[in-house]
Structures are given as structure tokens and as C-alpha cells.
Amino acid sequence: MIYFDNAATTKISENVLEEMMPYLKENYGNASSIYSLGQKSRAAIENSRIKIAEILKIKPSEIYFTSSGSESDNWAIKDILNKKEKNHIISSRIEHPAVLNSLKYVESKGIDVTLLSVDEFGNVNLDELKNSINDKTGLISIMFANNEIGTVEPVYEISKIARENNILFHTDAVQAIGNVKFNLKDLDVDMMSISGHKLGAPKGIGILYIKDGTEINSFIHGGSQERDRRASTENVASIVGIARAISDASENIDENIEYTKDLRDYFLEKLLNVDGIILNGPIENRLPGNINISLKGVKPQTMVRYLDMFDICVSQGSACAAGSIEPSYVLSAIGRSEELALSMIRISLNHNNTKEECDFVFDKILRGMKKFKK
Ligand SMILES: Cc1ncc(COP(=O)(O)O)c(C=O)c1O
């Protein structure tokens, strides 16, 4: 099996699995129980929080464990409904559906939403951002890195603009964590969404970072978990897992980024020499493992199924939109024609992939192009 779809999800790492196992087997206590079995779970959660906080250079109390990146995005966006004076959000046209559909929801409840356009590489325009701010703007939500074309947005500059205008800034860092080096002391944001399954932790665990002092209501109502802000019996094993995944990623971040970038550039050079293969998205400021290409005259579903016959996994677009045959809204936003937008595949590499795998997949893509090109 050649797994080239790491932006959709990743394999759970052996380290993560090993560290989680005791909390799935013998240490199954509820973290709210006061006997020892429960307190082992409590300690595991709080140690995980401390571990992640140290890496991100924040306080443990600023970390809220959620069920996913999607939940974190929903929480950060929908809280605008609790703010009477502030009824305007600025975001971008290429956000993940977890943000875009949360925005649609708040819009249906009377919130004004401005979606910034992006240039041909997927970067938001900072002047447009500044010009969109008004007295009612309560939140700016711009993703750290795009899941389809890998654009890394100018989040440091956006954070400065948000600060100067006294506006909350949320960023969806689901694709960035582990792939871009950052900490939250330097990147001053109010809220950040993270998901575990993109970096070797299981699916179904996320984080919303909420800077101390940020006014935000609880999202899931119920018990008093997560300091009364996010009810539900804690998912101890997955919390331990995401902490280990973030810790491993941060320990090896320089090597991993360099390795993955080299691999991507090696593969990309081969691909772009082929007639009819076109790169979508930026050359610079791109996620290290992201390759988004249009295969002129080839239906992506056909190519994805063909590669699957050789046990190769790539994406026919972003995984979440994979069921639809609409052209990708991200490619439309960067100005790609419908023809190119409808012939795009996404390959997302990580540090577990190799040059030999790239060579093998390249050969199969070439064969596929010859076979299916119209
Ligand atoms: C940028 C981005 N945000 C949010 C999500 C949703 O995360 P989760 O799958 O944990 O709900 C994804 C997942 O693909 C993503 O790529």
C-alpha cells in the first residue's frame, strides 16, 4: 500500500498507539471519579495538557479538548451569536467546510459575513481585509494553511491587523500543525483549531486553543468538564494520543519538513515535465507535502480508481468534498477554469513516504494519463 493522502488523515503512529493502549485497557476510569482509577485518567489528561502547552508556548488552561477540528471550528465561529454588539465576521472563500458551513449557519441567524477573495496562489489580500473591518466586526477567521492547495496564509500579518483593530482572531491550524513550525507566543491569536488525525493521532480528537481572557461561551452543555466550557466525559486515550503526536511532531519538525519538502519537489519536478499536468496553488509558502495538480483531459475519479488498483491512495480533491462532482470551490476561487478544476487530484506526502514510492506512483500516473486522456 502506498498512502499518499496524508492531508485526509494519517495512520496512527506506533508511539501514539503504545501510549494510548493502557487508557483503552486497564486505566479506563472516569477522570471525574475521585478513587485512584479515576485519578489516573485525570493525571493523564492534565499531563497531556501541560505537554501540549509547553510545545505551543501557552498556558495549560488555554487548551480545550474537543471531538475534532470541525467541533473546534464550530465553537470558535458560532460564539458570535452570543455577542450583541458585534455581528460581523471576516473570513475567506477557501476555508474548510467546517468554517464555511458554520459561517452559513450564523449568517442565517442574522450575522454579516464577509468572505475575502484570494489571489491565484490562494493568499488572502491584506488590504481587502483591512477595508472590510467595521465597528461591528467581532471575529476574523482565516485558516493557517489550506487543505486542498496547501497555501500557508499570512497569519502573522493578519494577527497584527486583528490586534490593531481590537478584533478576535481565530485560525484553523488543522493542516498546519506538524507541517509548519510555529508557537503561540510568537503567533498571537485568540483561538486556534487543531485536529489529531492529521498527525498520527486517532480520528475524533481535537483542540480549541482559547487565549486566557477571551470571552466565549461553552459550546457543548452538560457536565463541568474542561473547566465548565466543554461538557462530555473526557476521551482520555485520545487526549494522551494527541499529546504524544504533537510532541513527536515538534521534536522532529525541522527534519520532517525538510525531508517531506525535498520529496515533494522531487516528485513535482517529474510530474510537471509531463504534458497536460499543471500545478495548482503556490510554489512558495506551501505545505511541505502538498501536491495539487490538474491532469488535463482526465477525470480525477477515473485516475483515483485506476491508482487504487495498484494499492495507491490519492485524493480526487479534498476528502470532505469527494462525494460531489462540483468543481472544487478552492480552485474556482484561485481562478482555475472549470476544466482544470474538474481534473484535479491531490497528493499529500509526509515523512513516512519515500522516493521509491514516488517513482512507482509516477509511472502509474503516466500510464493512466495515456490510457484515459481524452
Ligand atoms: C483545514 C481543515 N479544517 C478542519 C478539518 C476538520 O477536522 P476534523 O476531521 O478533525 O473534523 C479538516 C479536515 O480535513 C481540515 O483539513
Side-chain angles (χ1 to χ4, degrees):
M1 155 90 72
I2 297 184
Y3 189 72
F4 274 8
D5 201 14
N6 292 286
T9 194
T10 56
K11 184 178 175 183
I12 300 188
S13 89
E14 285 304 320
N15 286 347
V16 167
L17 199 57
E18 201 179 300
E19 201 150 329
M20 287 174 65
M21 274 328 253
Y23 299 95
L24 292 167
K25 286 177 156 180
E26 55 270 25
N27 296 338
Y28 50 81
N30 184 319
S32 301
S33 306
I34 59 170
Y35 44 77
S36 313
L37 188 69
Q39 289 311 296
K40 277 189 193 161
S41 294
R42 169 63 48 215
I45 294 169
E46 298 317 322
N47 288 336
S48 300
R49 211 188 296 280
I50 291 167
K51 195 153 134 185
I52 298 168
E54 269 172 16
I55 294 164
L56 297 179
K57 298 208 170 126
I58 51 176
K59 295 183 206 149
S61 60
E62 295 173 313
I63 291 175
Y64 293 85
F65 292 112
T66 65
S67 68
S68 59
S70 297
E71 184 191 321
S72 300
D73 285 342
N74 272 257
W75 190 1
I77 304 282
K78 290 181 181 168
D79 196 65
I80 192 97
L81 295 172
N82 299 312
K83 307 228 162 78
K84 287 194 188 72
E85 302 300 313
K86 303 284 184 181
N87 60 3
H88 176 226
I89 300 188
I90 302 172
S91 187
S92 86
R93 285 175 61 192
I94 63 165
E95 298 296 312
H96 187 271
V99 167
L100 285 179
N101 287 329
S102 296
L103 290 170
K104 262 195 201 153
Y105 176 77
V106 296
E107 204 170 23
S108 76
K109 301 283 172 198
I111 300 296
D112 281 337
V113 175
T114 303
L115 293 183
L116 301 177
S117 55
V118 293
D119 65 15
E120 62 184 305
F121 301 119
N123 287 115
V124 293
N125 181 322
L126 297 179
D127 287 329
E128 194 188 351
L129 167 63
K130 286 182 203 159
N131 292 334
S132 303
I133 293 171
N134 64 43
D135 293 350
K136 300 280 186 192
T137 311
L139 181 70
I140 297 172
S141 178
I142 306 284
M143 68 201 323
F144 199 142
N146 182 267
N147 43 300
E148 289 194 30
I149 53 174
T151 311
V152 178
E153 296 293 343
V155 281
Y156 291 84
E157 287 88 337
I158 296 169
S159 147
K160 252 175 98 188
I161 295 169
R163 285 283 164 265
E164 281 161 12
N165 290 278
N166 214 5
I167 298 168
L168 292 180
F169 177 33
H170 161 253
T171 189
D172 174 337
V174 169
Q175 293 289 339
I177 187 136
N179 292 317
V180 181
K181 204 171 170 181
F182 70 89
N183 66 64
L184 282 161
K185 201 166 153 227
D186 300 335
L187 173 61
D188 185 18
V189 305
D190 299 290
M191 291 178 279
M192 174 179 279
S193 303
I194 292 171
S195 177
H197 72 101
K198 310 288 181 178
L199 76 164
K203 296 155 190 65
I205 182 72
I207 291 172
L208 183 63
Y209 157 75
I210 306 176
K211 192 187 172 94
D212 262 0
T214 306
E215 262 183 57
I216 185 163
N217 286 261
S218 58
F219 187 58
I220 305 286
H221 300 100
S224 59
Q225 292 89 356
E226 296 299 277
R227 299 171 303 292
D228 264 337
R229 276 177 149 174
R230 200 274 177 186
S232 179
T233 304
E234 297 90 340
N235 183 352
V236 187
S238 292
I239 289 172
V240 168
I242 195 173
R244 179 64 192 252
I246 291 175
S247 163
D248 284 356
S250 105
E251 215 163 88
N252 304 315
I253 191 142
D254 291 321
E255 300 92 291
N256 284 354
I257 288 177
E258 203 180 306
Y259 175 85
T260 309
K261 213 164 159 248
D262 282 351
L263 194 62
R264 178 199 67 194
D265 292 345
Y266 169 80
F267 196 15
L268 208 47
E269 200 182 318
K270 284 167 146 280
L271 288 166
L272 296 183
N273 270 325
V274 178
D275 205 28
I277 298 189
I278 291 156
L279 178 69
N280 300 309
I283 316 268
E284 301 291 328
N285 294 332
R286 185 184 191 115
L287 287 174
N290 176 286
I291 292 178
N292 185 311
I293 46 175
S294 291
L295 311 172
K296 262 186 160 177
V298 179
K299 280 196 184 137
Q301 306 91 297
T302 310
M303 180 61 87
V304 170
R305 287 197 192 106
Y306 178 68
L307 295 176
D308 187 36
M309 284 168 31
F310 302 96
D311 254 352
I312 298 166
C313 307
V314 305
S315 169
Q316 65 172 91
S318 81
C320 307
S324 74
I325 42 157
E326 300 278 297
S328 144
Y329 63 89
V330 175
L331 289 205
S332 303
I334 64 169
R336 283 293 190 237
S337 65
E338 188 163 314
E339 186 206 352
L340 286 183
L342 280 172
S343 61
M344 138 328 219
I345 62 166
R346 181 191 65 185
I347 294 168
S348 41
L349 311 171
N350 79 4
H351 57 276
N352 293 320
N353 296 124
T354 64
K355 271 190 178 169
E356 290 69 37
E357 289 180 325
C358 292
D359 291 341
F360 185 81
V361 175
F362 178 67
D363 178 60
K364 299 298 172 270
I365 289 178
L366 276 191
R367 283 201 210 182
M369 292 276 288
K370 281 197 193 112
K371 208 169 151 78
F372 303 116
K373 199 170 168 184
K374 273 196 243 128

